[in-house]
Amino acid sequence: MLARLLVRFYGPAGPWRRQILALAVRLEGGQMTSGSLRRLLRERYGVVVGPYSYGSLLEPGAADVGTTIGAYVSVGPGVRRFGAAHPLDDLTLHPYFYNPALGLVGAERDVERTPCVIGDDVWIGAGAVILPGCRRIGRGAVVGAGAVLTRDVPDYAVAVGNPARVIRTRLDETTRQRLADVDFAGSSPHELAAILAQIKSQTLRRPRGEADDRRG
């Protein structure tokens, strides 16, 4: 009921829209658990967010349409995801001449608008920028603060810098394989804690000297 009311009365402008959204999110326990926020993002902004994720990309307008955010994703302040760029090869760069939403040109003039999937358990540091060339941030990846992503980030990779580059891979291959079978989206925090504890105990029991492909 609260989600339906929020989507219905969350207007395109007005001094109360931010306060209304903040109240709804607070009543539902915050960003990690707010169903109303997720419905608003999905229906009004074309952004899909999994359970227990939180941070600045969940603020309306911070992520372009076509953004999918997995479960248990942690996003620092000031992060943006852009799905389109200005047309560098056109005579003008102004959106009046390529964005059909402004009413001057038709849909055939629009620029490419790319999707981006952010996997489960990703951590994105403060001030990172995700550009249209990045269409996937893999599960368990880390994006450093202030990084500018221009290409995809593999699972469990750590990417930093401008333009961002991968400097290492988190965890060993066996542990990553075990985590690949975990249903983050379908697990409550208590359930996930038990699953992770089991994986950790299996890792600690591994024979010494077993191959580890981490780069550091």
Side-chain angles (χ1 to χ4, degrees), residues 41 45 47 55-65 67 69 75 78-83 128 130:
L41 290 172
Y45 295 90
V47 175
S56 58
L57 281 182
L58 275 69
E59 297 171 5
D64 278 2
V65 62
T67 304
I69 301 171
V75 183
V79 176
R80 289 295 311 272
R81 205 293 284 190
F82 297 100
I130 306 168

Side-chain angles (χ1 to χ4, degrees), residues 165-183:
R165 62 185 182 89
V166 174
I167 59 170
R168 58 166 290 195
T169 300
R170 296 180 54 234
L171 310 175
D172 59 81
E173 184 177 2
T174 300
T175 302
R176 295 197 301 268
Q177 289 174 347
R178 288 171 177 157
L179 286 169
D181 295 327
V182 176
D183 179 12

